[in-house]
């Protein structure tokens, strides 16, 4: 490539990047990814930067002239990478730990190269049909009946929003034509541990914050069916229209599992839509030992499971299962003339099952993951995470100054430093300090939650590179960080 008149910038031919240049840079990128994935723990897990630091290093304006890929890739390493929190790091234990996995990344790369938009069947026949096939494979692996059909969305937040739109459609079918004015106030129900995406969905659907009633959970953070029933009856008496119930199998804070059989009975009794949020926990239903936790979820109207959380698929990939896809379609189907095709009624047009028209070819990476690891390989990997979490839970239980706050049904342990005789407020302060100290080491990243007003620490396992040694190190760092904080603390 020649240089421009000033001799500073390369003169690019019109059209896309020349193939040879793509090949050379593509090889560099692939090699970089392979080296990166080999040992992502050479980087500090939590990005050691302050807000605004990365932005300040970047030019305020886009370049007028094209730049060589070499410079762009160098800046990627020098300017962007320092601001990355490494979700690939084997000691990333915050939020819900995840894995993009080799096969998933390769599938993502090919999907990006194909760049199809599977909005209608003819715009990507394979995109549409592979989505149907992979969602059905996963449904069978999860032990769900064939009456469920799946569509793939970006996130559980979208999937739950769409499920709740279908619930609205079932109860208030005229509302999608006329809006909500003129109807009694509508209400969804979920436990006080349900994810905030459920509140957001109620707001987005026009029911407002009060459109979701948070029902009390029990001492192990499971929705209380008696409180659910009381809330519905109270609303009926007050002239409020119950719309649906959201049960969570694997809540965000503690991974508690709502008593789904009893909740399903309440939903059936009051003829309410039952949506199950199994965004994180869902993949565990593949494991026979864990399947009993899900017993009854087949009675739901809709279920969300996120392969991008605990099924080794790169972000984003969320499968929404519905027992009556027509109900979902009624909530969203609206075909402008330019999108009408002769395949309507014969083939699925994915745009009919959600808010978005355009959709990425997400099924490809999920297909790669399911085929590469196989059901057996996935089960073993999930079980390994669960076993490591149980071991950590046992370490916590053995330590007198530490307390485990919740049961461990899956791969997340919630605990706090709580020396006997100390005040709750002091403990909150200490746990916040412990978390900050441990995260500042760059060796581990963990996050917190607040349960019954008390600050608790979480360690969530979901990365395929995590080994027992990473947990041992984390537990050691935690105990060291607690040293000297309280009179009876270790190290005092
Ligand atoms: N539901 C649960 C139980 C979650 O834990 C989360 C996120 O952690 C979500 C929903 C939202 O997931 P997403 O980021 O895919 O919207």
């Amino acid at each position: 490539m020649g240089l421009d008149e000033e001799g500073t910038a390369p003169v690019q031919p019109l059209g896309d990047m020349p193939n040879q240049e793509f090949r050379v840079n593509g090889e560099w990128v692939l090699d970089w990814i392979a080296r990166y994935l080999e040992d992502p723990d050479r980087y500090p897990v939590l990005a050691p930067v302050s807000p605004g630091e990365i932005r300040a290093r970047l030019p305020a304006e886009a370049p007028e002239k094209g730049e060589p890929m070499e410079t762009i890739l160098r800046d990627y390493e020098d300017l962007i990478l320092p601001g990355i929190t490494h979700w690939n790091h084997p000691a990333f234990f915050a939020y819900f730990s995840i894995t993009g996995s080799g096969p998933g990344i390769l599938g993502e790369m090919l999907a990006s190269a194909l760049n199809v938009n599977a909005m209608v069947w003819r715009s990507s026949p394979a995109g549409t049909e592979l989505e149907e096939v992979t969602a059905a494979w996963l449904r069978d692996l999860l032990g769900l009946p064939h009456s469920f059909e799946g569509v793939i969305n970006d996130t559980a937040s979208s999937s739950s929003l769409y499920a709740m739109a279908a619930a609205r459609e079932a109860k208030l079918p005229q509302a999608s034509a006329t809006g909500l004015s003129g109807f009694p106030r509508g209400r969804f129900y979920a436990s006080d541990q349900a994810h905030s995406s459920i509140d957001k969905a109620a707001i987005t659907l026009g029911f407002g914050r009060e459109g979701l009633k948070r029902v009390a959970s029990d001492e192990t953070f499971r929705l209380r069916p008696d409180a659910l029933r009381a809330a519905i009856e109270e609303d009926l008496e007050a002239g409020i229209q119950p719309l649906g119930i959201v049960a969570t199998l694997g809540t965000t804070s503690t991974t508690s599992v709502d008593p789904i059989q009893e909740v399903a009975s309440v939903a059936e009794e009051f003829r309410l839509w039952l949506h199950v949020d199994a965004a994180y926990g869902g993949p565990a239903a593949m494991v026979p030992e864990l399947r009993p936790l899900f017993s009854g979820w087949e009675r739901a109207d809709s279920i969300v499971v996120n392969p991008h959380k605990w099924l080794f698929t790169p972000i984003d990939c969320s499968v929404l299962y519905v027992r009556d896809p027509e109900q979902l379609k009624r909530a969203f189907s609206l075909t402008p003339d330019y999108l009408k095709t002769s395949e309507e009624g014969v083939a699925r047009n994915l745009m009919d099952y959600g808010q978005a028209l355009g959709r990425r070819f997400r099924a490809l990476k999920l297909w790669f993951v399911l085929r590469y690891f196989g059901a057996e390989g996935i089960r073993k990997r999930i079980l390994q995470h669960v076993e490591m979490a149980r071991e950590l839970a046992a370490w916590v239980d053995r330590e007198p100054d530490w307390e485990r706050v919740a049961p461990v049904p899956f791969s997340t342990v919630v605990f706090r430093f709580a020396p006997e005789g100390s005040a709750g407020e002091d403990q909150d302060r200490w746990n916040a300090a412990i978390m900050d100290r441990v995260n500042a080491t760059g060796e581990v990243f963990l996050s917190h939650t607040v349960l019954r007003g008390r600050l608790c620490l979480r360690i969530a396992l979901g990365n395929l590179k995590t080994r027992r040694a990473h947990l041992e190190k984390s537990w050691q760092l935690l105990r060291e960080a607690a040293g000297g904080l309280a009179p009876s603390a270790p190290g005092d």
Side-chain angles (χ1 to χ4, degrees), residues 96 154-158 195 197 248 250-252 277 279-280 306 308-309:
F96 280 126
D154 52 358
T155 56
S157 303
S158 298
H195 190 261
S197 56
T248 313
T251 58
T252 315
D277 179 354
Y280 153 74
N306 270 15
H308 80 219
K309 286 205 195 299

Side-chain angles (χ1 to χ4, degrees), residues 260-338:
I260 189 68
Q261 294 284 18
E262 287 154 276
V263 174
S265 297
V266 174
E268 284 158 15
E269 181 185 335
F270 291 96
R271 296 178 179 280
L272 298 179
W273 186 281
L274 175 58
H275 175 58
V276 169
D277 179 354
Y280 153 74
M286 286 177 65
V287 181
E289 293 91 314
L290 303 172
R291 177 73 61 79
L293 292 168
F294 298 83
S295 171
W297 70 335
E298 68 283 353
R299 293 166 70 186
D301 296 284
S302 54
I303 298 174
V304 57
V305 175
N306 270 15
H308 80 219
K309 286 205 195 299
W310 201 10
L311 198 51
F312 320 132
T313 308
I315 288 175
D316 51 8
C317 187
S318 170
V319 188
L320 173 63
Y321 289 104
V322 277
R323 221 160 4 124
D324 180 4
E326 284 309 305
Q327 194 69 42
L328 185 60
K329 204 169 159 186
R330 270 194 290 281
F332 287 106
S333 182
L334 190 143
T335 314
D337 284 338
Y338 81 99

Side-chain angles (χ1 to χ4, degrees), residues 201-218:
I203 297 166
T204 308
L205 290 169
F207 297 105
R209 280 179 206 278
E210 290 178 12
L212 175 69
K213 190 171 248 179
R214 295 290 197 144
V215 176
S217 57
D218 65 17

